[in-house]
Coordinates of all heavy atoms in Angstrom, one line a residue:
G1 N 0.8 -1.2 0.0 CA 0.0 0.0 0.0 C 0.9 1.2 0.0 O 2.1 1.2 0.1
E2 N 0.2 2.3 -0.2 CA 0.9 3.6 -0.2 C 0.9 4.2 1.2 O 0.0 4.1 2.0 CB 0.1 4.6 -1.1 CG 0.0 4.1 -2.5 CD 0.8 4.9 -3.5 OE1 1.3 5.9 -3.1 OE2 1.2 4.3 -4.6
L3 N 2.1 4.9 1.6 CA 2.2 5.5 2.8 C 1.7 6.9 2.8 O 1.4 7.5 3.9 CB 3.6 5.6 3.2 CG 4.4 4.2 3.5 CD1 5.8 4.5 3.7 CD2 3.7 3.6 4.7
G4 N 1.4 7.5 1.6 CA 1.0 8.9 1.6 C 2.1 9.8 2.2 O 3.2 9.6 1.9
G5 N 1.6 10.8 3.1 CA 2.6 11.7 3.7 C 3.0 11.4 5.1 O 3.7 12.1 5.7
E6 N 2.6 10.2 5.6 CA 2.8 9.8 6.9 C 3.8 8.6 6.9 O 3.4 7.4 6.9 CB 1.5 9.3 7.6 CG 0.5 10.5 7.7 CD 1.0 11.6 8.5 OE1 1.5 11.3 9.6 OE2 0.6 12.8 8.2
Y7 N 5.1 8.8 7.0 CA 6.1 7.9 7.1 C 7.4 8.2 7.8 O 7.5 9.4 8.1 CB 6.5 7.5 5.6 CG 7.1 8.6 4.9 CD1 8.4 9.0 4.8 CD2 6.2 9.4 4.1 CE1 9.0 10.0 4.2 CE2 6.8 10.5 3.3 CZ 8.1 10.8 3.4 OH 8.6 11.9 2.8
V8 N 8.2 7.2 8.2 CA 9.5 7.5 8.8 C 10.6 6.7 8.1 O 10.3 5.7 7.4 CB 9.4 7.1 10.2 CG1 8.5 7.9 11.0 CG2 9.2 5.6 10.4
V9 N 11.7 7.2 8.0 CA 12.9 6.6 7.4 C 14.0 6.5 8.4 O 14.3 7.5 9.1 CB 13.4 7.5 6.1 CG1 14.5 6.8 5.5 CG2 12.3 7.7 5.1
K10 N 14.7 5.4 8.4 CA 15.8 5.2 9.3 C 16.7 4.1 8.6 O 16.3 3.4 7.7 CB 15.4 4.8 10.6 CG 14.8 3.3 10.8 CD 14.5 3.1 12.1 CE 15.0 2.0 12.9 NZ 16.4 1.3 12.9
A11 N 18.0 4.1 9.1 CA 18.9 2.9 8.8 C 18.3 1.6 9.4 O 17.9 1.6 10.5 CB 20.4 3.3 9.1
D12 N 18.5 0.6 8.7 CA 18.1 -0.8 9.3 C 19.0 -1.1 10.4 O 20.3 -0.9 10.3 CB 18.2 -1.8 8.2 CG 17.5 -3.1 8.6 OD1 16.6 -3.1 9.6 OD2 17.8 -4.1 8.0
G13 N 18.6 -1.7 11.5 CA 19.3 -2.0 12.7 C 19.1 -1.0 13.8 O 18.4 -0.1 13.8
L14 N 20.0 -1.3 14.8 CA 20.0 -0.5 16.0 C 20.6 0.9 15.8 O 21.7 1.0 15.2 CB 20.7 -1.2 17.2 CG 20.0 -2.5 17.6 CD1 20.8 -3.2 18.7 CD2 18.6 -2.2 18.1
C15 N 19.9 1.9 16.1 CA 20.5 3.3 15.9 C 20.6 4.1 17.2 O 20.8 5.2 17.2 CB 19.5 4.1 14.9 SG 19.5 3.4 13.4
G16 N 20.4 3.4 18.4 CA 20.6 4.0 19.6 C 19.5 5.2 19.9 O 19.8 6.1 20.5
G17 N 18.4 5.0 19.3 CA 17.3 6.0 19.5 C 17.5 7.2 18.6 O 16.8 8.2 18.7
K18 N 18.7 7.2 17.7 CA 18.9 8.4 16.9 C 18.7 7.9 15.4 O 18.7 6.7 15.1 CB 20.4 8.7 17.0 CG 20.7 9.0 18.5 CD 20.0 10.3 19.0 CE 20.5 10.6 20.4 NZ 19.4 10.8 21.4
G19 N 18.6 8.8 14.6 CA 18.7 8.5 13.1 C 17.4 8.4 12.4 O 17.4 8.1 11.3
V20 N 16.2 8.5 13.2 CA 15.0 8.3 12.4 C 14.5 9.8 12.1 O 14.6 10.7 12.8 CB 13.9 7.8 13.5 CG1 12.5 7.8 12.7 CG2 14.3 6.3 14.0
K21 N 14.1 9.9 10.7 CA 13.6 11.0 10.3 C 12.2 10.9 9.9 O 11.7 9.9 9.3 CB 14.4 11.6 9.0 CG 15.8 12.0 9.4 CD 16.4 12.8 8.4 CE 17.8 13.3 8.8 NZ 18.4 14.1 7.9
V22 N 11.3 11.9 10.4 CA 9.9 11.8 10.3 C 9.3 12.7 9.2 O 9.8 13.9 9.1 CB 9.2 12.1 11.6 CG1 7.7 12.0 11.5 CG2 9.8 11.1 12.7
S23 N 8.4 12.3 8.4 CA 7.9 13.0 7.4 C 7.1 14.3 7.9 O 6.4 14.0 9.0 CB 6.9 12.3 6.4 OG 5.8 11.8 7.1
G24 N 7.2 15.4 7.4 CA 6.5 16.5 8.0 C 7.3 17.3 9.1 O 7.1 18.5 9.2
E25 N 8.1 16.5 9.8 CA 9.0 17.2 10.8 C 10.4 17.5 10.3 O 10.9 18.5 10.4 CB 9.0 16.3 12.1 CG 7.6 16.2 12.7 CD 7.7 15.3 14.0 OE1 8.7 15.4 14.8 OE2 6.7 14.5 14.2
H26 N 11.0 16.3 9.8 CA 12.4 16.3 9.4 C 12.5 16.3 7.9 O 13.5 16.8 7.2 CB 13.2 15.1 10.0 CG 13.1 14.9 11.4 ND1 12.4 13.9 12.1 CD2 13.5 15.9 12.5 CE1 12.5 14.1 13.4 NE2 13.2 15.2 13.6
L27 N 11.5 15.6 7.3 CA 11.5 15.4 5.7 C 10.3 16.2 5.2 O 9.2 15.8 5.4 CB 11.4 14.0 5.4 CG 12.5 13.1 6.0 CD1 12.2 11.6 5.9 CD2 13.9 13.4 5.4
K28 N 10.7 17.2 4.5 CA 9.6 18.2 4.0 C 9.0 17.7 2.5 O 8.0 18.3 2.1 CB 10.0 19.7 3.9 CG 10.6 20.1 5.3 CD 9.5 20.1 6.4 CE 10.0 20.7 7.6 NZ 9.1 20.6 8.8
S29 N 9.7 16.8 2.0 CA 9.2 16.3 0.7 C 9.8 14.9 0.4 O 10.6 14.4 1.2 CB 9.8 17.2 -0.5 OG 11.2 17.1 -0.6
I30 N 9.3 14.3 -0.6 CA 9.7 12.9 -1.1 C 11.1 13.1 -1.5 O 11.9 12.2 -1.2 CB 8.8 12.4 -2.3 CG1 7.4 12.2 -1.7 CG2 9.3 11.1 -2.8 CD1 7.2 11.0 -0.7
D31 N 11.5 14.1 -2.2 CA 12.9 14.3 -2.6 C 13.8 14.3 -1.4 O 15.0 13.7 -1.5 CB 13.1 15.6 -3.5 CG 12.5 15.5 -4.9 OD1 12.3 14.4 -5.3 OD2 12.2 16.5 -5.4
E32 N 13.5 15.0 -0.3 CA 14.3 14.9 0.9 C 14.4 13.5 1.5 O 15.4 13.2 2.0 CB 13.8 15.9 2.1 CG 14.1 17.3 1.7 CD 13.6 18.3 2.8 OE1 13.5 17.8 3.9 OE2 13.5 19.5 2.5
A33 N 13.3 12.8 1.4 CA 13.3 11.4 1.9 C 14.3 10.6 1.1 O 15.1 9.7 1.6 CB 11.9 10.8 2.0
L34 N 14.2 10.7 -0.2 CA 15.1 9.9 -1.0 C 16.5 10.3 -0.8 O 17.4 9.5 -0.9 CB 14.7 10.2 -2.5 CG 13.3 9.7 -3.0 CD1 12.9 10.0 -4.4 CD2 13.3 8.1 -2.8
A35 N 16.8 11.7 -0.6 CA 18.2 12.1 -0.4 C 18.7 11.4 0.9 O 19.8 11.1 1.0 CB 18.2 13.6 -0.3
F36 N 17.9 11.3 1.9 CA 18.3 10.7 3.2 C 18.5 9.2 3.0 O 19.5 8.6 3.5 CB 17.2 10.9 4.2 CG 17.6 10.3 5.6 CD1 18.8 10.7 6.2 CD2 16.7 9.5 6.3 CE1 19.0 10.1 7.5 CE2 17.0 8.9 7.5 CZ 18.2 9.3 8.1
C37 N 17.7 8.6 2.1 CA 17.9 7.1 1.8 C 19.3 7.0 1.1 O 20.1 6.1 1.4 CB 16.8 6.6 1.0 SG 15.3 6.4 1.9
E38 N 19.6 7.8 0.3 CA 20.9 7.8 -0.5 C 22.1 8.0 0.6 O 23.0 7.4 0.3 CB 21.0 8.9 -1.5 CG 20.0 8.6 -2.7 CD 20.4 7.4 -3.5 OE1 21.7 7.0 -3.5 OE2 19.5 6.8 -4.1
E39 N 21.9 8.8 1.6 CA 23.0 9.0 2.5 C 23.2 7.6 3.3 O 24.2 7.2 3.6 CB 22.5 10.1 3.6 CG 22.5 11.5 3.1 CD 22.0 12.5 4.1 OE1 22.2 12.1 5.4 OE2 21.5 13.4 3.8
I40 N 22.0 7.0 3.6 CA 22.2 5.6 4.3 C 22.7 4.6 3.4 O 23.7 4.0 3.8 CB 20.7 5.2 4.7 CG1 20.1 6.1 5.7 CG2 20.7 3.7 5.3 CD1 18.7 6.0 6.0
F41 N 22.4 4.6 2.1 CA 23.0 3.6 1.2 C 24.5 3.9 1.0 O 25.3 3.0 0.9 CB 22.2 3.7 -0.1 CG 20.8 3.4 -0.1 CD1 19.9 3.9 -1.0 CD2 20.2 2.4 0.8 CE1 18.5 3.7 -0.9 CE2 18.9 2.1 0.8 CZ 18.1 2.8 0.0
A42 N 24.9 5.1 1.0 CA 26.3 5.5 0.8 C 27.1 5.0 2.0 O 28.4 4.7 1.8 CB 26.5 7.0 0.7
K43 N 26.5 4.8 3.2 CA 27.3 4.2 4.2 C 27.3 2.6 4.3 O 27.8 1.9 5.1 CB 26.6 4.5 5.6 CG 26.7 6.0 5.8 CD 26.0 6.4 7.1 CE 25.9 7.9 7.3 NZ 25.1 8.3 8.5
G44 N 26.7 2.0 3.1 CA 26.7 0.5 3.0 C 25.5 0.0 3.8 O 25.6 -1.3 4.1
E45 N 24.6 0.7 4.3 CA 23.5 0.2 5.1 C 22.1 0.1 4.3 O 22.1 0.9 3.2 CB 23.3 1.1 6.4 CG 24.5 1.2 7.2 CD 24.3 2.2 8.3 OE1 23.3 2.9 8.3 OE2 25.3 2.3 9.2
A46 N 21.3 -0.6 4.8 CA 19.9 -0.7 4.2 C 19.0 0.4 4.9 O 19.2 0.7 6.1 CB 19.3 -2.1 4.4
A47 N 18.0 0.8 4.2 CA 17.0 1.8 4.7 C 15.7 1.1 5.1 O 15.3 0.1 4.3 CB 16.9 3.0 3.8
V48 N 15.1 1.6 6.0 CA 13.7 1.2 6.4 C 12.8 2.3 6.3 O 13.0 3.4 6.7 CB 13.7 0.6 7.9 CG1 12.3 0.2 8.3 CG2 14.7 -0.5 8.0
L49 N 11.6 2.0 5.5 CA 10.6 3.0 5.3 C 9.4 2.4 5.9 O 8.9 1.4 5.5 CB 10.5 3.4 3.8 CG 9.4 4.2 3.4 CD1 9.6 5.8 3.8 CD2 9.2 4.3 1.9
E50 N 8.8 3.0 6.9 CA 7.7 2.6 7.7 C 6.6 3.7 7.8 O 6.9 4.8 7.8 CB 8.1 2.1 9.1 CG 9.1 1.0 9.0 CD 9.5 0.6 10.5 OE1 9.7 1.5 11.3 OE2 9.6 -0.7 10.6
E51 N 5.3 3.1 7.9 CA 4.3 4.0 8.3 C 4.5 4.7 9.6 O 4.9 4.1 10.6 CB 3.0 3.1 8.4 CG 1.7 3.9 8.7 CD 0.5 3.1 8.8 OE1 0.7 1.8 8.7 OE2 -0.6 3.6 9.1
K52 N 4.1 6.1 9.6 CA 4.2 6.7 10.9 C 3.1 6.5 11.8 O 2.0 6.5 11.4 CB 4.3 8.2 10.5 CG 4.3 9.1 11.8 CD 4.2 10.6 11.3 CE 4.0 11.5 12.5 NZ 3.8 12.9 12.0
F53 N 3.3 6.0 13.0 CA 2.4 5.7 14.0 C 2.3 6.9 15.0 O 3.3 7.5 15.4 CB 2.7 4.5 14.9 CG 2.6 3.2 14.1 CD1 3.6 2.4 14.2 CD2 1.5 2.9 13.4 CE1 3.5 1.1 13.5 CE2 1.3 1.7 12.7 CZ 2.4 0.8 12.7
V54 N 1.1 7.3 15.3 CA 0.9 8.4 16.2 C 0.4 7.9 17.4 O -0.6 7.1 17.5 CB -0.1 9.5 15.5 CG1 -0.4 10.5 16.6 CG2 0.3 10.0 14.3
G55 N 1.0 8.3 18.6 CA 0.5 7.7 19.9 C 1.7 7.7 20.9 O 2.8 8.3 20.6
E56 N 1.6 7.1 22.0 CA 2.6 7.0 22.9 C 3.6 5.8 22.6 O 3.2 4.8 22.2 CB 2.0 6.7 24.4 CG 1.2 7.8 24.8 CD 0.8 7.8 26.3 OE1 1.6 7.2 27.1 OE2 -0.4 8.1 26.6
E57 N 4.8 6.1 22.9 CA 5.9 5.1 22.6 C 6.4 4.6 24.0 O 6.4 5.3 25.0 CB 7.1 5.8 22.0 CG 8.2 4.9 21.7 CD 9.4 5.6 21.0 OE1 9.3 6.9 20.6 OE2 10.5 5.0 20.9
F58 N 6.6 3.2 24.0 CA 7.2 2.7 25.2 C 8.1 1.5 24.9 O 8.1 1.1 23.7 CB 6.1 2.2 26.2 CG 5.3 1.0 25.6 CD1 5.7 -0.3 25.9 CD2 4.2 1.3 24.9 CE1 4.9 -1.4 25.4 CE2 3.5 0.2 24.3 CZ 3.8 -1.1 24.6
S59 N 8.9 1.1 25.7 CA 9.8 0.1 25.6 C 9.5 -1.1 26.6 O 9.2 -0.8 27.8 CB 11.3 0.4 25.8 OG 11.7 1.4 24.8
L60 N 9.6 -2.4 26.2 CA 9.3 -3.4 27.0 C 10.5 -4.4 26.9 O 10.7 -4.9 25.7 CB 8.0 -4.2 26.7 CG 7.7 -5.4 27.4 CD1 7.5 -5.1 28.9 CD2 6.5 -6.2 26.8
M61 N 11.2 -4.7 27.9 CA 12.4 -5.5 27.8 C 12.0 -6.8 28.5 O 11.2 -6.8 29.6 CB 13.6 -4.9 28.5 CG 14.1 -3.7 27.8 SD 15.5 -2.9 28.6 CE 16.5 -4.2 29.2
S62 N 12.4 -8.0 28.0 CA 12.1 -9.3 28.5 C 13.5 -10.1 28.5 O 14.4 -9.9 27.7 CB 11.1 -10.0 27.7 OG 9.9 -9.2 27.7
W63 N 13.4 -11.1 29.5 CA 14.6 -12.0 29.5 C 14.1 -13.4 29.4 O 13.0 -13.7 29.9 CB 15.3 -11.9 30.9 CG 16.2 -10.6 30.9 CD1 17.5 -10.6 30.6 CD2 15.9 -9.3 31.3 NE1 18.0 -9.4 30.8 CE2 17.0 -8.5 31.3 CE3 14.7 -8.7 31.6 CZ2 17.0 -7.2 31.4 CZ3 14.6 -7.4 31.9 CH2 15.8 -6.6 31.8
C64 N 14.9 -14.2 28.7 CA 14.5 -15.7 28.5 C 15.7 -16.6 28.8 O 16.8 -16.1 28.2 CB 14.0 -15.8 27.1 SG 13.4 -17.5 26.7
D65 N 15.6 -17.6 29.5 CA 16.7 -18.5 29.7 C 16.5 -19.8 28.8 O 17.2 -20.7 29.1 CB 16.9 -19.0 31.2 CG 15.6 -19.7 31.8 OD1 14.7 -19.9 30.9 OD2 15.5 -19.8 33.0
G66 N 15.6 -19.8 27.9 CA 15.2 -20.9 27.1 C 14.1 -21.7 27.5 O 13.5 -22.4 26.8
D67 N 13.7 -21.5 28.8 CA 12.5 -22.2 29.3 C 11.5 -21.1 29.9 O 10.3 -21.3 29.8 CB 12.8 -23.1 30.4 CG 13.6 -24.3 29.8 OD1 13.3 -24.9 28.8 OD2 14.6 -24.8 30.4
N68 N 12.1 -20.1 30.5 CA 11.3 -19.1 31.2 C 11.4 -17.7 30.6 O 12.4 -17.4 30.0 CB 11.6 -19.0 32.7 CG 11.5 -20.4 33.4 OD1 10.5 -20.8 33.5 ND2 12.7 -20.9 33.7
L69 N 10.3 -17.0 30.5 CA 10.3 -15.6 30.0 C 9.8 -14.7 31.2 O 8.8 -15.0 31.8 CB 9.2 -15.5 28.9 CG 9.2 -14.2 28.2 CD1 10.4 -13.9 27.5 CD2 8.0 -14.3 27.1
A70 N 10.6 -13.6 31.4 CA 10.3 -12.6 32.5 C 10.3 -11.3 31.8 O 11.2 -10.9 31.1 CB 11.4 -12.7 33.6
H71 N 9.3 -10.5 32.1 CA 9.1 -9.2 31.5 C 9.5 -8.1 32.6 O 9.0 -8.3 33.8 CB 7.7 -8.9 31.1 CG 7.3 -9.8 30.0 ND1 7.8 -9.9 28.8 CD2 6.3 -10.8 30.0 CE1 7.1 -10.7 28.1 NE2 6.3 -11.3 28.8
M72 N 10.2 -7.0 32.3 CA 10.4 -5.9 33.1 C 9.2 -5.0 32.8 O 8.4 -5.1 31.9 CB 11.6 -5.1 32.8 CG 12.9 -6.0 33.0 SD 13.1 -6.2 34.8 CE 13.4 -4.5 35.4
P73 N 8.9 -4.1 33.7 CA 7.7 -3.1 33.6 C 8.0 -2.3 32.3 O 9.1 -1.9 32.0 CB 7.8 -2.2 34.8 CG 8.5 -3.0 35.9 CD 9.4 -3.8 35.2
P74 N 7.1 -1.9 31.6 CA 7.2 -1.0 30.4 C 7.6 0.3 30.9 O 7.3 0.7 32.0 CB 5.8 -0.8 29.8 CG 4.8 -1.8 30.6 CD 5.6 -2.3 31.7
V75 N 8.5 1.0 30.1 CA 9.1 2.4 30.4 C 8.8 3.3 29.2 O 8.8 2.8 28.1 CB 10.5 2.2 30.8 CG1 10.8 1.4 32.1 CG2 11.3 1.6 29.7
Q76 N 8.8 4.5 29.5 CA 8.7 5.6 28.6 C 9.8 6.6 28.7 O 10.2 7.0 29.8 CB 7.4 6.4 28.8 CG 6.1 5.4 28.2 CD 4.9 6.3 28.3 OE1 4.4 6.7 29.3 NE2 4.3 6.6 27.0
D77 N 10.3 7.1 27.5 CA 11.2 8.2 27.4 C 10.4 9.4 26.9 O 10.1 9.4 25.7 CB 12.4 7.7 26.6 CG 13.5 8.8 26.5 OD1 13.3 9.8 27.2 OD2 14.4 8.7 25.6
H78 N 10.2 10.3 27.7 CA 9.4 11.6 27.3 C 10.3 12.5 26.6 O 11.0 13.3 27.3 CB 8.7 12.1 28.6 CG 7.7 11.2 29.1 ND1 6.5 10.9 28.6 CD2 7.8 10.3 30.3 CE1 5.9 9.9 29.3 NE2 6.6 9.6 30.3
K79 N 10.5 12.4 25.3 CA 11.4 13.3 24.6 C 10.7 14.6 24.2 O 11.4 15.6 24.0 CB 11.9 12.6 23.3 CG 12.6 11.3 23.5 CD 12.9 10.6 22.3 CE 13.5 9.2 22.7 NZ 13.3 8.3 21.7
R80 N 9.5 14.7 24.0 CA 8.8 15.9 23.5 C 7.9 16.4 24.6 O 7.0 15.7 25.1 CB 8.3 15.8 22.2 CG 9.4 15.5 21.3 CD 8.7 15.4 19.9 NE 9.6 14.5 19.1 CZ 9.4 14.1 18.0 NH1 8.2 14.3 17.3 NH2 10.2 13.3 17.3

């Protein structure tokens, strides 16, 4: 399907919470999004283009020893 004007672009893999560019906030046009993808490709990395979700963000960490699964409480980083 089409993303329209609601999308995010980032390098594939862990970015330490950095490196995501959001349409409308950081990327003002499709040309800017494509240029950012080219920057990612120039570093030898793959780019991820995803639908922009609006809402609260949280992290949930879990541990597994192969038999048991234990969750830590969800946490939020209030950036804005």
Side-chain angles (χ1 to χ4, degrees):
E2 300 259 338
L3 294 175
E6 301 291 323
Y7 58 88
V8 298
V9 181
K10 70 182 239 39
D12 192 20
L14 297 175
C15 296
K18 309 288 184 232
V20 176
K21 292 198 178 185
V22 180
S23 65
E25 294 179 41
H26 309 110
L27 303 168
K28 304 297 183 194
S29 68
I30 295 293
D31 288 336
E32 285 185 19
L34 292 173
F36 182 55
C37 289
E38 290 295 331
E39 290 176 28
I40 294 169
F41 299 148
K43 296 177 187 175
E45 299 174 354
V48 176
L49 177 66
E50 297 178 317
E51 179 181 357
K52 175 183 171 183
F53 291 130
V54 177
E56 294 189 40
E57 176 183 352
F58 67 92
S59 297
L60 176 65
M61 293 178 38
S62 303
W63 283 266
C64 180
D65 65 6
D67 294 314
N68 303 293
L69 184 62
H71 302 292
M72 293 294 293
V75 295
Q76 287 184 296
D77 180 8
H78 300 282
K79 297 175 185 150
R80 297 181 205 172

